[in-house]
Amino acid sequence: MTQQADGTRDRLGRTAMMALALTGAAIGLAWPGAPARAEAEAPAGRCLAIVEQSEAAAMDGQGGGSTGLGGAVQRLLGPSRSAQTRTAPMAAPPPTAEVAPMPSIAPSPVPPLTAMDEAVERDRFRDVPLNGVVRVTDQPVSTFSADVDTASMGVVRRFIRDGDRPPSDAIRAEELVNYFDYAYPRPSTAADPFAPSVSVMPSPWGAGRDLMVIGIRGWSPERTEPPPANIVLLADVSGSMHGPDRLGLVKRSMALLVDQLDGDDYISLVTYAGADRVVLEPTPADDKETICGALGTLTSGGGTAGSKGIATAYGLAEENFRKGAVNRIILATDGDFNLGVIDDGRLEDYVARKRETGIYLSILGVGRGNYNDKTMQQLAQAGNGMAAYLDSLAEGRRVLVEKLTAQLQPIADDVKFQVEFNPAKVAEYRLVGYETRALREEDFANDAVDAGEIGDGHAVTAIYEIAAPGSAGLRLPERRYGDDGSAAPAGGRDAEIAFLRLRWKDPGATASRLMERAVTEADRAPMAQQSDDARFAVAVAGFAQILQDNPAVGDYGFGDVAELASGALGDDPHGHRARFVELVRTAMTLN
């Protein structure tokens, strides 16, 4: 290599390192008060370094000509064949993988932004009433879909880090609780992929009431190597995605994902703004230079034709469908669709039809100010995928490195919970969270009703607040004509507190399977004797309800949450629980 080339590469390397440092400062870190630790947990990988260098090369070559964007990237990466020529042969798509066109409607006009517009918060969250107290004699059965989304935690953290209290509509208690890992019993065989765990304890925020904590952990098979993957990265590059905490963060997070994949995996890249574009045809994941160089050159601008981008991504995934592999689209966006089909319901229906092809959709949300949480949650649920919110590169690492296997490899589809309460033991109950996942009682056994997907090793937690007949914790008024709550069920089952049912489908199956477990007094213990996992989950649930201004927790405060969580850190290898305590203490300083 010539001395001049050496000098150019050194200069680009220094520029890239400076850009990385500035980006880290601009993006912010996952938790307030821990910059050094978050940096240490997210070291630059090979793909991340290439993305940084590609951006630096593009900035260096903005003058055009041979020193322009293409020339700079070519000098930096050296010669390589086009992505078209590197596409490996794929299996033909399954018969069900017919590409259906998106519904067509006239584009919506996009008015120009003004300085005043940019200062207006346009974040959109789904307004859903919180679960209330239910009388068991009125409705003894509670049914809901499993949820492993974590987007709400990222949003809450972003607001608190910015010095603001998050809006109550942004807080989904189950997503905060399920953000963390819990060491529930591991299933022993794939034939029974779940091992339900139940703990009953006094409620820390309601005298006379108890909490019933239900936890399941998914089967995690031992593999010599993970299944191959066909992944389409779908990036929103519209004008609203401009900035290091939006498109800049998306590119770096996707780079972390690419670094985890190898030559058996294939990556495609689709972008959309005013129009959609296939930036990269399916390329072996070990060709880091081609994939990561393409990521690094992405820039933002224009409207947001998200529906066209989604249709193109599904078409590409279907054309290159790999039987027996992970076939998934990962969409990164702020959700601000303003061109093409923008109706949430029509997009949701389209994605729901496409999941039947065996291609699932996961969502990575970014940004604040025009973040459309409502649309992204609906699309992720319809696409059998997970919705996460990236507020930092450390969170990108958690989602796409720590949780990659659970993110990509499903072990169960349409996972549903159903709890039937014994009126002789429970007079009232309240499900904490899961408002957007509620199902009707008859939906539980109906295999045509969609529910949540659970990935390899995923844990799911649900918490009920319950009160016994005649206890001081009752909150519903006594009825004039009474009820039959004092009558115990026949068959000697009066010792049971409740009966838990779990239903799921094996991936690709059409018929569901059933698992059942009785909840008895043997599951009850004082708070001090509960596991770290159960106590920590309760602390997080309390935090979520305080942020919601939920009257159910009374005068239970952030200090109480911090005290309970601090004593239940347990095994915390990545420090997520410890940083949660820091987050709670930061929330105490907000008005």
Side-chain angles (χ1 to χ4, degrees), residues 30-47:
W31 304 92
R37 180 163 43 204
E39 279 291 316
E41 288 181 359
R46 181 183 176 194
C47 189

Side-chain angles (χ1 to χ4, degrees), residues 89-222:
M90 299 283 190
T96 56
E98 181 179 351
V99 182
M102 284 294 292
S104 175
I105 64 175
S108 304
V110 184
L113 288 176
T114 66
M116 181 174 294
D117 290 331
E118 292 176 351
V120 176
E121 288 264 351
R122 293 191 177 89
D123 294 325
R124 281 163 284 176
F125 301 99
R126 191 173 174 183
D127 185 10
V128 180
L130 299 176
N131 289 331
V133 178
V134 179
R135 197 187 304 267
V136 171
T137 53
D138 288 343
Q139 187 176 328
V141 177
S142 171
T143 308
F144 61 95
S145 167
D147 181 37
V148 292
D149 291 346
T150 60
S152 186
M153 172 59 89
V155 172
V156 166
R157 195 169 52 214
R158 173 71 181 264
F159 271 89
I160 292 176
R161 187 188 66 219
D162 290 349
D164 299 320
R165 184 158 178 149
S168 59
D169 292 344
I171 301 156
R172 292 183 289 275
E174 73 279 7
E175 293 190 16
L176 270 66
V177 171
N178 286 322
Y179 179 90
F180 299 94
D181 291 327
Y182 301 98
Y184 298 133
R186 287 184 178 273
S188 56
T189 66
D192 293 313
F194 303 108
S197 171
V198 182
S199 301
V200 181
M201 68 197 75
S203 170
W205 54 72
R209 299 195 290 274
D210 291 323
L211 297 181
M212 186 172 78
V213 180
I214 302 170
I216 64 169
R217 187 172 186 175
W219 165 251
S220 185
E222 294 184 5

Side-chain angles (χ1 to χ4, degrees), residues 20 50 63 86 101 158 199 211 229 245 292 314 389 396 410 415 481 494 500 538 572:
L20 178 61
I50 293 172
R86 297 189 64 87
R158 173 71 181 264
S199 301
L211 297 181
D245 64 337
C292 307
Y314 272 109
Y389 178 88
V415 183
Y481 301 106
D494 52 305
L500 169 66
V538 168
D572 188 25

Side-chain angles (χ1 to χ4, degrees), residues 490-542:
R493 300 173 181 173
D494 52 305
E496 294 178 1
I497 297 171
F499 197 69
L500 169 66
R501 299 180 178 92
L502 185 65
R503 191 174 284 278
W504 76 94
K505 296 175 186 173
D506 294 328
T510 56
S512 64
R513 298 166 59 191
L514 176 66
M515 178 178 288
E516 298 176 320
R517 180 197 192 281
V519 181
T520 70
E521 291 297 326
D523 297 309
R524 187 189 300 274
M527 178 68 76
Q529 296 178 17
Q530 296 292 337
S531 68
D532 290 333
D533 286 335
R535 288 183 290 121
F536 190 84
V538 168
V540 178

